[in-house]
Amino acid sequence: MITAIVGINWGDEGKGRMVDLLSEKYDIVSRYQGGNNAGHTVVNEKGKFILNLLPSGILRDTTVNVMGTGMVIDIEHLYNEVKSLTGAGIKITPDNLKISDRATICMPYHKQLDILEEERLADKKFGSTRRGIAPVYADKYYKKTLRMHDLLDLETAKEKLADILEWKNLTIANGYGKDPVKLEDMYNWLVKYGTFFKDYVCDTTYYLNNAIDEGKSVMFEAQLGALRDIDFGIYPYTSSSTVLAAYAPIGAGVPGRKLDCSIGIMKAYSSCVGEGPFTCELFGKEGDELREAGGEYGAATGRPRRVGGFDVPASKYGILLQGAKDCIALTKLDVLSYLDKIPICTKYLVDGVETDVFPQGKALAEAKPVYEYFDGWKTDISKCRSFEELPVQAQKYIRYIEKLTDCKIKYVSVGASREDYFEM
Ligand code: GDP
Ligand code: MG
C-alpha cells in the first residue's frame, strides 16, 4: 500500500499525530517536501515530541524513515533534532533514517535572507517562519544550491560554494548592505554538521522503489496543508513547495501511478498561522476561547495561531486538491466540547453572492464568511472510542460536516495521544 497523508486546511491539522498512529501498518514513512518550517507534535507512550524535519515514523521502532528529494534540509537543525530525540531514548541510525542524496541543503545564509526580507517588508511581511525556506527553494530553482550528496565530498562542495557565494553576496552585500558571507564560515558549518550525516545520505530513489517492488508499504507524510500549496494555496502567503498528495511520489522519487490513496487530515475547526486571507477568522472573545481550547500556538515558532470555525469552502477545496474525498481523518473534535453553539462557516460572500467555491486574489481578500451555528454537545468526548459512544449532537456534527463537504470521514481524533481516536 502506498499512501499519502496530507493536510486539507492551512496546516497544523494534526498530520504528525495521525502519521504516528497510522504508520503502524507501514514499513516506511517518507517526507517529500518542505523543511524545518513544519512543526508536528506527536504524543505517545514514549513522550511528547515536536518534529520539524524528521518523518513522524521515527518514533516507531520498526519503521524506516526517509527524507525525500523534494525536501530542503538545514543540517544544523537536523543535527539538533536528532540529538534531542536520541537524548530522549529514540533510536536513530542509518538503518532507520535515510536522507536523499538529492535533497537540497538549506544554508545559514538562506535563513539570514529570509529574516532580512521579512524585516525589509515590515508591515507587509509574509509571516514567514524565518527558517530560510523561500530563499532556499528559490535558489534550488536557480540551480544554485548544494545537495546532500555534496556532504560526501566536502572539497568539491567548497568549490561549488565559492561560485554560489560570489553570486549570493551580490544580494546580501550589495542589495541588503550586510557583510558578505564568508566561504570559510560556510565550509566550517558544512564540516561541523554535515560530517555526522555522511552515513545517512544515500540514494533514496532506488531504496524506495526497490522496497516497493519487494512489496513494502510506504506512507508519504506532508508537511503543510493544501491551502499553503505554492500553486493552489493562498499565494503568496503559502509555503514555497508543493504540499499536495500528487507531488508526494515526485518529491520522493516514486512513479505517480504507484500512489494508492490519500488520507486527508482535516480539523474540526480552522487555524492559520501567519499572514494572509483567512475568511473564517473569529476575533475577540470567540476567537480567544477557541485558541485556548485548542492550544493553538505554533509548534515551530510558538506564534499564536489565528482561529475560526470549520470552513466549508476552504475544506471542500482542500479535499478536492488532495483527492481525499473517500478518506478523511477529522481531528481535534474534542476541542469543540466547550461550545454551546458551534460556529461553521458554510459559505463565502463574494461580490454580494454566496458561494462555496474557494476564490483567489481580490475576491478571496474581500470574501466575507457566512456563519451558521450548530448546537453543541457540551460533554467531554475525549474518552469516546467509537462513533456510537459520542453524544448525539457530536454524531450529528460529524455527519453534517460530511454532508457539507461531500466526503467520507474514516477516522476521528478526540485527543493528542496516539490512542485518542476511533475509526468510523
Ligand atoms: P501538524 O503540523 O499537522 O502535524 O499539526 P501540529 O502538531 O502542528 O498541531 C496539532 C496540535 O494538536 C498538536 O499540538 C497535537 O498534539 C494536537 N492534536 C492533534 N490531534 C488532536 C486531537 O484530536 N485533539 C486535541 N485536543 N489535540 C490534538
Ligand atoms: Mg504543525
Side-chain angles (χ1 to χ4, degrees), residues 12-17 39-41 305 332 334-335 413-416:
D12 305 321
E13 299 94 343
K15 294 177 294 297
R17 178 253 184 286
H40 301 316
T41 308
R305 294 173 184 151
K332 303 195 88 162
D334 56 300
V335 171
S413 172
V414 291

Side-chain angles (χ1 to χ4, degrees), residues 205-412:
T205 314
Y206 280 105
Y207 171 76
L208 281 170
N209 282 283
N210 288 340
I212 292 170
D213 285 348
E214 286 165 17
K216 297 247 165 69
S217 51
V218 181
M219 171 174 276
F220 295 122
E221 176 180 16
Q223 170 237 16
L224 278 167
L227 297 159
R228 297 291 188 189
D229 181 77
I230 179 79
D231 290 309
F232 298 94
I234 51 171
Y235 187 87
Y237 302 99
T238 55
S239 197
S240 303
S241 60
T242 309
V243 305
L244 301 181
Y247 184 76
I250 300 175
V254 168
R257 66 185 184 82
K258 299 225 167 156
L259 189 66
D260 294 305
C261 77
S262 322
I263 302 177
I265 314 301
M266 184 166 89
K267 208 155 165 161
Y269 57 94
S270 303
S271 73
C272 166
V273 74
E275 312 300 317
F278 184 46
T279 310
C280 64
E281 185 161 10
L282 293 172
F283 300 94
K285 188 164 169 273
E286 208 181 0
D288 291 344
E289 283 178 358
L290 185 52
R291 182 177 308 105
E292 289 312 313
E296 295 298 344
Y297 294 88
T301 57
R303 290 184 289 183
R305 294 173 184 151
R306 298 154 75 195
V307 292
F310 183 82
D311 185 319
V312 176
S315 301
K316 273 184 92 162
Y317 181 60
I319 292 169
L320 172 111
L321 290 171
Q322 300 288 23
K325 194 172 147 65
D326 49 3
C327 191
I328 291 287
L330 187 70
T331 57
K332 303 195 88 162
L333 186 64
D334 56 300
V335 171
L336 301 179
S337 299
Y338 78 96
L339 285 160
D340 289 317
K341 298 274 179 196
I342 300 175
I344 304 179
C345 172
T346 50
K347 290 201 160 53
Y348 290 178
L349 198 60
V350 176
D351 286 335
V353 181
E354 285 190 8
T355 178
D356 65 358
V357 172
F358 191 76
Q360 63 143 337
K362 191 159 175 270
L364 177 61
E366 293 177 357
K368 297 275 172 291
V370 177
Y371 260 108
E372 178 178 283
Y373 284 82
F374 192 89
D375 284 339
W377 46 89
K378 299 282 286 180
T379 322
D380 178 16
I381 57 167
S382 60
K383 303 279 177 296
C384 294
R385 293 293 175 268
S386 71
F387 183 73
E388 291 68 33
E389 281 175 48
L390 285 177
V392 174
Q393 272 312 112
Q395 294 183 357
K396 283 189 180 164
Y397 185 77
I398 293 174
R399 292 298 181 214
Y400 193 45
I401 295 292
E402 281 184 322
K403 185 166 158 240
L404 286 170
T405 57
D406 188 23
C407 77
K408 171 84 192 82
I409 293 172
K410 201 164 161 215
Y411 304 95
V412 177

Side-chain angles (χ1 to χ4, degrees), residues 16-143:
R17 178 253 184 286
M18 290 309 293
V19 172
D20 175 63
L21 170 70
L22 300 175
S23 56
E24 186 182 12
K25 296 181 192 134
Y26 291 81
D27 300 302
I28 299 167
V29 175
S30 174
R31 281 266 310 258
Y32 58 91
Q33 49 72 229
N36 57 323
N37 49 335
H40 301 316
T41 308
V42 176
V43 186
N44 57 29
E45 82 286 354
K46 291 182 178 161
K48 179 176 176 179
F49 305 92
I50 294 176
L51 303 171
N52 299 134
L53 278 162
L54 291 166
S56 304
I58 200 75
L59 302 167
R60 287 198 179 272
D61 297 335
T62 55
T63 308
V64 177
N65 294 272
V66 173
M67 297 176 66
T69 296
M71 289 188 74
V72 289
I73 303 174
D74 173 340
I75 52 174
E76 177 178 350
H77 194 98
L78 183 61
Y79 178 83
N80 290 327
E81 198 170 320
V82 168
K83 287 289 160 198
S84 138
L85 268 109
T86 47
I90 305 300
K91 179 196 73 162
I92 302 179
T93 70
D95 287 335
N96 72 337
L97 177 64
K98 303 191 183 290
I99 307 174
S100 171
D101 53 1
R102 292 174 171 86
T104 300
I105 301 178
C106 181
M107 300 288 296
Y109 57 78
H110 291 123
K111 206 154 93 180
Q112 184 193 358
L113 277 167
D114 204 353
I115 296 167
L116 285 172
E117 182 55 14
E118 282 286 280
E119 282 170 1
R120 190 191 70 81
L121 285 168
D123 59 353
K124 289 184 178 165
K125 68 180 188 302
F126 283 20
S128 162
T129 51
R130 302 179 175 219
R131 294 192 163 177
I133 308 303
V136 69
Y137 270 114
D139 284 6
K140 166 177 162 166
Y141 287 98
Y142 247 125
K143 293 162 287 183

